[in-house]
Amino acid sequence: MQRVRMSLPYFEEFGWEAEIVTIDPLYADLPLDDLLLETVPAKIKVHKVAAFNKKWTAKLGLGSIALRSLWFYRKTVNELLKNQKFDLIYFSTTQFPVCILGAYWKKRFGVPYVIDMQDPWHSDYYKDKPRQQQPKKYWLSYRLNKYLEPIAMKEADGLISVSEHYITDLQLRYPALKNKPTATITFGSFMHDLDIAVKNESKYPDLLEPGFKNIVYIGRGGMDMYSAITPVFKALKAGLIEHPELFSQLKFYFIGTSYAPAGEGTPTIMNLAKQHGVTDNVIEVTDRISYYHTLVTLKQADTLFIPGSDDPKYTASKIYPYLLTGKPLLAIFNSKSSVVNILEEYGVKHNYTYNATPDIELHILNFLKLVVNNDITADVYNTDAAVKHSAQSKARQQCEIFNQVILADN
């Protein structure tokens, strides 16, 4: 959703008129933020679809909004394609089962489609992991994804992805994609969002404790991030032993770490904090918060922290809100993640890799000393990088793929 929302103000500039088909918020079980609508141009037509009641579908083990809304997407878009001329269908969502409708609409109406891969769809990443590390309902989702992905991918006319690895993997599984237009396009930075967040700060409850040096991460948790978080907790523990009066001022926040409905999430970061004896300095909130509440909280923090997955294919779309705030930033990723290069382009000073940075715990300890001693300063970012990774630039790249698909289709 965020990809399209940030691109909508620019699509027309690059020759494309868009209409949106999306879930009616009444059927979603994630935090809502009406302020997101402020960035959607007034002239954009938005068609809202329903979904089957989760109370009933959950009894069959199907709580996914994608599966609950599939029939309604089909019905609504069928009517649109019958009555209007559309050149392209663009799927930009992590609710991947909806993408199987692309093959159906292409066959019935002759409209090509492009899929935007913001995460892996079918993946073997968790297959050999212990059961406790696997996502909820992994057995079912793995088999369902393995069945549904080919339906969508074999007929796709173009592919966009936040990670080059995702495209390569899909081309290996579906050789026909090697002859289709593809592009690796990360999310973009959308400055207007920060303006909205600051203007509406009073609408959101404070999540951070006053009187501490608050270091904040907002995003999903999981054991795949332990490699990036472990050296931080080790450095924190070393600081607490060396200078307890100073380092006791630090509070690390991990907010929105679970995709589960509010109140039902299982903590994953606190287990690691307990292992390293730093639970008094770590707070985990599993419930997700809305997008602008996220920006407000990041802006209120003293320092920001972004950990990456141990999956080298992982790329974090959330880095751009962090960069927007202008706050001091500590980033730790797998050395093969594309995020490392992006942060280098921006000029982020405290940008480390858990598997390639020598003496990483010492670097982190020094960073934390700067924080507790009030000596930390924000980075001055490279303006060329900011332009390159702006939402406007990313919208242009998407439109270039759309144009290629249309030319190939004709």
Side-chain angles (χ1 to χ4, degrees):
M1 178 273 289
Q2 299 288 12
R3 163 93 84 186
V4 170
R5 180 186 67 85
M6 294 179 186
S7 301
L8 284 174
Y10 308 111
F11 277 155
E12 188 171 10
E13 176 184 341
F14 300 115
W16 284 84
E17 181 181 344
E19 293 190 22
I20 304 300
V21 185
T22 187
I23 295 290
D24 190 310
L26 293 172
Y27 301 93
D29 54 7
L30 293 174
L32 301 180
D33 198 335
D34 292 336
L35 291 175
L36 291 166
L37 297 175
E38 290 191 15
T39 62
V40 177
K43 66 190 300 183
I44 299 292
K45 293 181 181 179
V46 179
H47 309 274
K48 297 179 181 178
V49 304
F52 290 114
N53 193 314
K54 189 175 181 179
K55 291 181 180 178
W56 303 109
T57 60
K59 294 179 180 179
L60 302 174
L62 300 175
S64 161
I65 188 64
L67 298 174
R68 291 191 288 121
S69 62
L70 200 60
W71 186 85
F72 298 93
Y73 266 110
R74 180 180 180 273
K75 179 182 178 182
T76 298
V77 176
N78 277 358
E79 288 301 312
L80 289 172
L81 296 177
K82 284 177 185 176
N83 297 311
Q84 299 179 58
K85 172 68 169 68
F86 288 90
D87 298 296
L88 183 81
I89 297 171
Y90 183 34
F91 293 94
S92 185
T93 176
T94 54
Q95 297 298 326
F96 293 120
V98 176
C99 299
I100 66 171
L101 292 170
Y104 163 74
W105 289 322
K106 180 179 179 180
K107 182 177 181 180
R108 180 169 178 181
F109 299 100
V111 182
Y113 64 98
V114 172
I115 297 177
D116 174 21
M117 297 297 295
Q118 301 172 20
D119 281 319
W121 185 350
H122 171 59
S123 170
D124 289 330
Y125 176 76
Y126 289 103
K127 192 174 181 180
D128 59 353
K129 297 289 189 293
R131 188 169 183 177
Q132 66 270 22
Q133 294 186 27
Q134 295 176 349
K136 192 177 180 180
K137 298 182 180 178
Y138 175 72
W139 186 92
L140 175 62
S141 63
Y142 177 83
R143 284 154 182 80
L144 190 63
N145 292 340
K146 187 176 182 178
Y147 171 73
L148 294 180
E149 186 186 81
I151 297 175
M153 291 299 169
K154 287 181 178 179
E155 297 298 328
D157 297 277
L159 196 60
I160 290 171
S161 176
V162 297
S163 169
E164 185 177 352
H165 294 289
Y166 297 166
I167 292 177
T168 302
D169 287 349
L170 288 168
Q171 287 176 331
L172 289 174
R173 286 205 290 271
Y174 313 105
L177 288 175
K178 294 178 180 179
N179 301 317
K180 304 294 183 180
T182 63
T184 301
I185 307 174
T186 62
F187 275 48
S189 177
F190 195 44
M191 182 59 73
H192 189 44
D193 278 340
L194 190 62
D195 298 333
I196 293 173
V198 171
K199 185 173 65 174
N200 293 277
E201 183 173 355
S202 62
K203 294 181 179 180
Y204 301 103
D206 293 340
L207 300 179
L208 311 181
E209 292 187 38
F212 290 91
K213 300 293 183 183
N214 293 315
I215 302 176
V216 175
Y217 163 72
I218 303 178
R220 74 163 182 86
M223 295 182 183
D224 63 309
M225 292 190 171
Y226 279 13
S227 295
I229 299 173
T230 292
V232 175
F233 285 174
K234 286 183 176 180
L236 174 58
K237 183 63 175 179
L240 288 166
I241 294 172
E242 183 180 345
H243 299 291
E245 71 289 347
L246 279 177
F247 278 75
S248 61
Q249 300 175 34
L250 290 176
K251 286 282 186 182
F252 274 86
Y253 289 79
F254 295 83
I255 301 172
T257 56
S258 173
Y259 289 119
E264 299 179 18
T266 300
T268 53
I269 307 304
M270 287 307 296
N271 295 333
L272 188 63
K274 185 176 181 180
Q275 291 176 29
H276 294 281
V278 294
T279 53
D280 289 343
N281 301 80
V282 176
I283 295 174
E284 180 177 7
V285 179
T286 59
D287 290 353
R288 315 271 295 174
I289 61 176
S290 67
Y291 178 69
Y292 286 111
H293 194 184
T294 294
L295 284 176
V296 165
T297 305
L298 293 177
K299 192 67 177 174
Q300 292 171 340
D302 295 287
T303 307
L304 307 179
F305 170 46
I306 316 180
S309 170
D310 59 16
D311 182 355
K313 301 173 185 177
Y314 176 80
T315 180
S317 58
K318 56 181 166 279
I319 64 173
Y320 295 105
Y322 284 72
L323 293 167
L324 275 179
T325 65
K327 292 285 183 173
L329 175 62
L330 171 66
I332 303 176
F333 281 82
N334 185 300
S335 61
K336 295 182 180 179
S337 171
S338 61
V339 177
V340 176
N341 292 332
I342 293 173
L343 294 177
E344 285 180 354
E345 288 180 34
Y346 268 86
V348 174
K349 289 183 292 187
H350 303 285
N351 174 25
Y352 307 120
T353 61
Y354 64 81
N355 57 339
T357 300
D359 301 318
I360 184 172
E361 290 172 31
L362 181 59
H363 286 292
I364 297 169
L365 180 60
N366 289 334
F367 174 86
L368 296 180
K369 286 179 178 178
L370 291 174
V371 175
V372 296
N373 288 310
N374 295 314
D375 291 329
I376 193 71
T377 57
D379 299 327
V380 177
Y381 296 136
N382 185 315
T383 54
D384 290 339
V387 171
K388 175 182 175 181
H389 295 287
S390 68
Q392 183 179 23
S393 176
K394 304 302 180 180
R396 175 184 55 76
Q397 291 176 267
Q398 291 167 74
C399 290
E400 289 173 354
I401 289 294
F402 301 162
N403 293 337
Q404 292 177 41
V405 168
I406 295 303
L407 287 173
D409 191 58
N410 291 332

